[in-house]
Amino acid sequence: MAQPSNTPVPMADVLVAGGGITGLTAALGIARQRHRVLVLEEADAFTEREAGIRLSRDTLRALDRLGVGGAVRDRAVRIEEMRLVEGATGASLASVRGPAEGRYARRRAASYAVGRGDLLDVLLTACRGHPCIDLRTAAPVASYALHGHRVTAVLGTGVRYAGDALIGAGGPCSAVHRQVAGGGHRIARSVFYHAPVPVARLPAGASAGSFTVWARPTWQVVQSPAGRGGHVDLSAHCDLPAAPEAADGAPVDAERVVEHCADAGPPVRELLRLGEDWRMWVPCEGAPAVRWADHRVALAGDTDHPLLPSAAAGVRDRTLQDVLHLGELMDCDASDFPQAFAAYAEHRRRAAARVRDRMLRAVCGGGRYDRITGL
């Protein structure tokens, strides 16, 4: 990773395993601290599934510090209202509206929505333009080895990359996560479905700016804004009696989604049938992280998120803030990385405890909508 002559000499070499939204955000945050970063992505290209993600004002302000906040806002839309609806009867359980329309309404909104592909594109453009960031595809990290003051990432191909630190950003079923946190992984007994719905096809009275959750004990359907693409996102999470076969973006008929939401009311069924190009994902469940760091290795990303997609959306937003916090802690020499990662691990431990407490109160206390949605 040769540096231009007008670029300051990097303080350390950092490896990032995973080139999704979390990994690229980590790369930008770490490079901001004058470190050289090599991103290792296992796929042949940097891609994200076409679904929306919610971003809070705090996260957007954090992205401003990386110089990408403006570009993200240009592709985001304001969430006007958040609603929780009983899936079978259609009864409204809770509703939270954003600020009234006006000159500063968009700036003051509780949260925004942006397409994952749009967000990844902004981050990828910034990484490609940064002199201290190098990107590699077809580079699956299979394990790591610590030796003295260095760490080596070992690819599945046998190629090795050495650095002063390694950030695992590949998710709870990645090899780095399993090595740091321990435990294995399994196919979950649930399935995620996703499809876009053109705004023009929404039923009368439906709002394109609404984040709406229709909930039942065995399934959950979420309609959310998807950025400025002229459509909304529709997703369903359904529990199944047994673990299904693994699938990663496989096409599926809308009637299969309706079948898995068997007791859904007519409005939900109608909405599901409006989805275009339904795709399915079977999640991989890794062991919840009880360790977030191993000397010169730290975990970033969704290492402990709940399965409910509406709650997970809020946790992913919080996760981006955690990743940016990790970058700020790495404003030090390579010799201080273990101490920085220990502080980060304590931060993640406390954050995970707050998430679990919030979810427990939501489930057992019949609590408020903000506890369910992660607001």
Side-chain angles (χ1 to χ4, degrees):
M1 292 183 286
Q3 299 298 308
S5 59
N6 61 345
T7 302
V9 177
M11 298 171 61
D13 292 314
V14 179
L15 309 172
V16 175
I21 289 173
T22 299
L24 296 184
T25 302
L28 287 171
I30 295 168
R32 183 170 176 258
Q33 311 303 339
R34 307 174 306 286
H35 302 308
R36 182 164 45 197
V37 183
L38 173 62
V39 179
L40 303 170
E41 165 56 37
E42 66 176 350
D44 294 332
F46 294 94
T47 59
E48 277 281 353
R49 64 183 183 184
E50 292 299 320
I53 183 172
R54 286 194 289 119
L55 298 176
S56 67
R57 288 175 297 172
D58 289 339
T59 298
L60 283 172
R61 283 195 289 264
L63 292 173
D64 284 335
R65 297 196 294 272
L66 299 185
V68 298
V72 173
R73 286 183 179 87
D74 288 341
R75 303 190 183 203
V77 295
R78 180 172 62 91
I79 295 179
E80 300 169 352
E81 181 183 17
M82 307 194 73
R83 301 172 57 229
L84 179 64
V85 181
E86 210 288 326
T89 66
S92 179
L93 302 178
S95 176
V96 178
R97 291 196 63 84
E101 294 291 343
R103 180 178 179 184
Y104 300 105
R106 187 166 180 267
R107 187 183 304 172
R108 293 168 46 230
S111 55
Y112 299 80
V114 64
R116 288 178 177 271
D118 288 337
L119 178 57
L120 183 78
D121 183 59
V122 169
L123 296 170
L124 190 57
T125 299
C127 285
R128 284 173 172 159
H130 200 294
C132 289
I133 298 178
D134 193 9
L135 305 172
R136 304 281 174 86
T137 56
V141 177
S143 64
Y144 67 84
L146 292 164
H147 41 91
H149 299 294
R150 302 279 282 177
V151 58
T152 298
V154 183
L155 305 191
T157 59
V159 176
R160 295 170 175 259
Y161 293 98
D164 299 295
L166 169 64
I167 308 301
C173 292
S174 67
V176 175
H177 180 279
R178 293 197 302 271
Q179 192 168 345
V180 172
H185 65 279
R186 62 184 177 86
I187 300 298
R189 290 195 304 174
S190 60
V191 62
F192 286 100
Y193 298 106
H194 169 260
V197 178
V199 172
R201 296 192 63 192
L202 288 176
S207 171
S210 171
F211 183 95
T212 303
V213 181
W214 290 270
R216 292 290 292 162
T218 60
W219 57 263
Q220 187 179 60
V221 173
V222 179
Q223 175 197 315
S224 65
R228 297 175 179 262
H231 66 273
V232 299
D233 273 326
L234 197 59
S235 61
H237 169 246
C238 307
D239 293 333
L240 302 178
E245 294 183 4
D248 187 10
V252 62
D253 188 78
E255 291 303 321
R256 179 173 179 180
V257 186
V258 172
E259 178 185 347
H260 283 164
C261 302
D263 56 349
V268 179
R269 290 171 174 265
E270 177 188 359
L271 187 62
L272 292 175
R273 292 188 173 107
L274 293 177
E276 298 182 344
D277 189 27
W278 277 102
R279 301 278 173 168
M280 66 177 290
W281 285 265
V282 177
C284 172
E285 290 186 346
V290 294
R291 296 178 64 202
W292 278 268
D294 178 16
H295 196 52
R296 290 183 173 272
V297 183
L299 296 178
D302 299 334
T303 59
D304 54 342
H305 65 79
L307 282 179
L308 293 180
S310 59
V315 173
R316 293 186 189 105
D317 175 79
R318 178 69 251 181
T319 294
L320 288 181
Q321 295 181 45
D322 290 338
V323 170
L324 294 166
H325 178 62
L326 172 61
E328 292 170 351
L329 289 173
M330 293 178 70
D331 183 13
C332 59
D333 294 326
S335 60
D336 293 325
F337 282 168
Q339 293 90 332
F341 288 174
Y344 168 75
E346 177 61 17
H347 166 81
R348 287 303 302 263
R349 185 191 67 77
R350 293 181 179 180
R354 288 194 297 270
V355 169
R356 287 192 291 268
D357 179 65
R358 178 188 301 165
M359 295 302 295
L360 183 63
R361 284 183 287 140
V363 173
C364 299
R368 298 169 50 195
Y369 181 49
D370 58 358
R371 294 172 187 164
I372 298 174
T373 61
L375 281 181

